[in-house]
Amino acid sequence: MTTRATINGSARNAGEWLGDLLTGHHGRRLVIALPYLWLLVFFMLPFVIVLKISLAEVLLGRPPYSPLWQYLEDSTVQIQLHLDNYRRLWEDPLYFIAYLKSLKIAGISTLVCLLLGYPMAYAIARTRDSLRNLLLMLVILPFWTSFLIRVYAWIGILKSNGLLNNLLLALGVIDHPLALLHTDFAVYLGIVYSYLPFMVLPLYATLSRMDLTLLEAAADLGCRPWKAFLRVTLPLSLPGIIAGCMLVFIPAVGEFVIPDLLGGPDSLMIGKVLWTEFFSNRDWPAASAVAVVMLVLLVVPLALFQRAQEKSEGKPPL
Amino acid sequence: MKRRRPFLLFTLLAFGYAFLYVPIISLIVYSFNVSRLVTVWGGFSTRWYGELLHNDQILSAAWLSLRIATMNATLSVILGTLAAITLVRFGKFRGRTLFSTMVSAPLVMPDVILGLASLLLFVTMEHLIGWPAGRGITTITLAHITFSAAFVTVVVQSRLSQFDISLEEAAMDLGARPWKVFLLITLPIIAPSLLAGWLLAFTLSLDDLVIASFVAGPGATTLPMVVYSSVRLGVSPQINALATLIVATVTLCILLAGWLMHRQETLRRRAPVIDIS
C-alpha cells in the first residue's frame, strides 16, 4: 500500500512538475516554438527550395534538376544560376496568356461570388435566431463534402446530354443541346459554386457583429434605408468583404481541378500549366519558376488577406 | 428593430441555396439510377452501391485516406491549438508578425504551390538527412498537417478569444496550478472547437487531391486520386454512390456535433457551478 501510494505520489509529482514546466516561462516558449518551428520547416523553407530549384536546370535523373553549387577540388565553390526558366516564362506567350487568364477568371469569379454572397450573408445575419443557425449550417455543409465530387456533379449537369440541356430542351427554350461543358463558362460556374461558402462566412461574421442601433440612429436622422446601407452597413462590412474576396481570389488563381475537369482547351489556367510542367513534362525547375512568378503576383492579395486577419484579431472571419 | 422583409433579398437567398444544393441532390438521385448513363433515368436500384462495395481499388484507397485523415486531424489539432494559444494569449513576442503570416497564408495558398513546395522539401530532406525515406503515407500526412493546422488554428482561436478569462483567474485564486487550470477549465470550454477543428482537418485531408498527388509516391493512392482518374474517364455511377455516402456521413456528423454542442450549452446554462477539485 505504502509503496503504491509513494509511486502514485511520485507519479503525481512528476506530472505536476511536467505540467508546471509546460505552463511556466519555459512552457510558454515551448508552446510557441512547436508550431513556429513546424511552420518554418514545412511552410517557409519549402518556398526557399522552390526558389532555389527554379534557378536550376532540368536533368534526366534523380532528382531531375542540376545542383546549384558544387565544391571544386581547389576549395572553390562553383555556383550556377540558370535564368532560362524565367526567360522562357517571359518569351513563350503561352505562360503570359495563362497568367492573365487566371487573374481574369479569378477576378470575375470573385466579383460574382461577392454579388451573390453579400445578399445571402446579409439575409442570414438579419433573420431570427432559430432560423439563422439552420441557414448557416446549410452554407457550411457543402463546404464539408468533397470538393472534387461537387465539381464532378457539374459534369453531369452541363454535359451535352446532361440535366441542364435536357431541361432546356424539354421546356422548348433551345432546340439543340448547348455546348456548356469544357468552356470558360463552366470554369466560372465551378469556381463560383465551390468558393461561395468562403465568401458568405466572413461576410456573415462581420454583418452579424454589426451594431444595429447605428442603423436606427441613421433612420432617426432621416436617412433612407438604402442610403443607410451604403453609408453605414457597407463600410462597416469592408473587413469581411476583403477577407471573403481574398479567400476566393487567391486560391482561384492557382486552381487546378476546376479548369481541368470543367474547362476546355482554351481555358488555360496557370495551376494547370504548373501541373502539366510537373507531371507530364517532368520539368521540376520550370514548374518551380511558374510557382515563383505566381507567388509574386499573389503577394499583394496575400498581404491584404493577412491584414484583414490581423485586424479581426481574435474574431477570425471564418 | 422591425423591418419589412425585402422580397429581392430572400429571392437571392433562395437562389443561392438552390445553386449550392441542386448539384449535390442530382448526384444523390442519380446514384440510385439503374442505367449506366448517368443522366437518363432508368428506374430505382442500389446496384452501384453493391458494385462500390466490391471495388477493391476504391476500398483500399478509402482505407488509406481514412488513416491519413485520422493521423492528420489528430496532429493538426495539437499543433493548431498551440498556435491558437500563442496568438490569443501570448500578446507580442519577437517574430509574431512572421508567425501570424505563416498561420494564415496556408488558408489561401493555391494547392499546386503547396504541393510542389512540399514535394521539393521532402526530396531535399531525403537527400540531406535521409528522412522521410521515399514518399507515401508519411509525406502526405506531413503535407496535410501544415495546411490543416492553419484551419484548426482559426477555429480554436475564435473560441479562445470569446473565452471569459476570469474563470481561469478564479481557479488560480483558489490555488489551482496553471496546468490544472488548463486541464480543468480551459480545455473543457474550448473542447467543442477542438472537435470542430478535428473534423475540419479530417475532411480537408480526405478531400485533398492536388497536394497528395504531388507528394505521394507510386505506392500510395488516396481516395481523391482514384476518384479523379475515374472522373477523367467520364461520369461513373459508382462515384455517384460514393458521393452520396460521403454526403450522408458528413450530414450525420454535423447534425450530431450540432446536437452535442446544443446539449452542452443547455447543460452549462442549467449548472453554472464548475467543480475544480
Side-chain angles (χ1 to χ4, degrees), chain A residues 117 120-121 124 132-145 150 193-202 204, chain B residues 13 16-17 20-21 254:
Chain A
M120 283 181 77
I124 297 172
R132 193 192 304 167
N133 283 335
L134 178 74
L135 288 175
L136 206 58
M137 204 179 253
L138 283 174
V139 171
I140 299 172
L141 192 77
F143 167 68
W144 284 71
T145 49
R150 280 182 298 133
Y193 172 71
S194 306
Y195 287 97
L196 189 60
F198 284 104
M199 182 63 89
V200 175
L201 293 179
Y204 166 79
Chain B
L13 188 67
Y17 281 107
L20 285 177
Y21 280 92
I254 287 195

Side-chain angles (χ1 to χ4, degrees), chain A residues 19-20 36 38 42 46 124 135 138-139 141-142 146-149 152 156 161 193 216 256 260 278 306 310 313-314, chain B residues 1 17 19-21 27 30 39 79 90 95-96 100 104 117 119 146 161 177 179 207 224 228 235-236 240 243:
Chain A
D20 288 346
Y36 212 122
W38 181 283
F42 289 100
I124 297 172
L135 288 175
L138 283 174
V139 171
L141 192 77
S146 171
F147 168 76
L148 186 60
I149 279 172
Y152 159 76
N161 60 347
Y193 172 71
E216 279 177 48
F256 162 73
D260 188 57
F278 184 84
Q306 164 64 15
E310 276 285 303
E313 191 76 29
Chain B
M1 193 165 77
Y17 281 107
F19 181 55
L20 285 177
Y21 280 92
L27 276 184
Y30 281 98
T39 46
L79 211 59
F90 289 171
R96 188 195 159 96
S100 66
S104 63
L119 171 79
T146 306
S161 59
R177 282 167 180 262
W179 177 244
D207 199 17
Y228 174 70
V235 180
S236 138
N240 283 22

Side-chain angles (χ1 to χ4, degrees), chain B residues 178-192:
Chain B
W179 177 244
K180 214 163 187 186
V181 173
F182 179 75
L183 273 187
L184 293 173
I185 309 285
T186 320
L187 210 55
I189 292 181
I190 63 169

